[in-house]
Amino acid sequence: MAEFQPLAAQQRIGLIGGTFDPIHYAHLAIAEEVRVTLNLDTMVFIPAGQPPHKHGKEVTPANHRLAMVELAIASNPAFACSRIEIENTGPSYLALTLQRLRELWGPEKELYFVVGWDSLEEFHTWHTPQEILRHLTALVAVGRPGYNEDPDSQERLDRIEARVPGLKQRLLLVHAPLLDISATELRERVRQHRPIRYQVPDPVEQYIHVQRLYQE
């Protein structure tokens, strides 16, 4: 599959990255909620090639994770998948990915990148956070199950702004469905021969079993 090329009319593009090991319904529900809430033309899923935050941890080969994402989003014409990080050598730093997407798609596109509310507390530790903000129209924060801090708290927003000046101006909060599904738990369920149906799309479940993923 060729690299996703947004149509000329697609000016507002949502980006959701992750290891997707495996992709599950919580990912899909968040992507659709953000797309509809912000009136985006497209949501692009970006599977990580070498996730820098998982250095030293076992990650399923990228070709399998990419295949599962493509299967999961196939039924939604507003969803697309980019292999830009998988085809890149070296760690999948968001700042570099956004730079390459800007070069590929042009400066006129509006780019909205989705993160969890909890990740905002660690955003200052990401690789060149100011460079990330420079390439984005907005950073879109969504809820995570078990995260109890009020995302609208002025104290909290002031704290993250102090760590990354300018972040508040680029921040949008979206209240998405809180589906408590964990990729880690899904992998463990497969190892224990427990069902994962209704937690991942059927084609993803079938792919996992046919390819014998997460068996050991």
Side-chain angles (χ1 to χ4, degrees), residues 98 102 111-113 132-139 170:
L98 293 174
R102 282 294 183 195
L111 302 184
Y112 299 78
F113 187 81
I132 293 173
L133 294 180
R134 186 176 72 84
H135 288 298
L136 289 176
T137 304
L139 193 65
R170 298 291 181 90

Side-chain angles (χ1 to χ4, degrees), residues 104-178:
L104 180 66
W105 296 344
E108 73 282 358
K109 303 299 182 186
E110 297 181 18
L111 302 184
Y112 299 78
F113 187 81
V114 178
V115 298
W117 284 339
D118 53 327
S119 295
L120 291 179
E121 298 288 355
E122 304 299 327
F123 188 71
H124 65 287
T125 69
W126 293 22
H127 181 70
T128 58
Q130 291 289 356
E131 188 71 6
I132 293 173
L133 294 180
R134 186 176 72 84
H135 288 298
L136 289 176
T137 304
L139 193 65
V140 183
V142 298
R144 290 282 181 88
Y147 185 76
N148 298 319
E149 187 170 355
D150 179 8
D152 296 297
S153 163
Q154 190 59 49
E155 179 182 352
R156 179 173 184 270
L157 293 176
D158 289 344
R159 184 169 66 243
I160 63 174
E161 173 71 13
R163 293 170 175 168
V164 185
L167 190 149
K168 280 203 302 185
Q169 296 178 352
R170 298 291 181 90
L171 183 64
L172 296 175
L173 302 179
V174 172
H175 294 268
L178 298 180

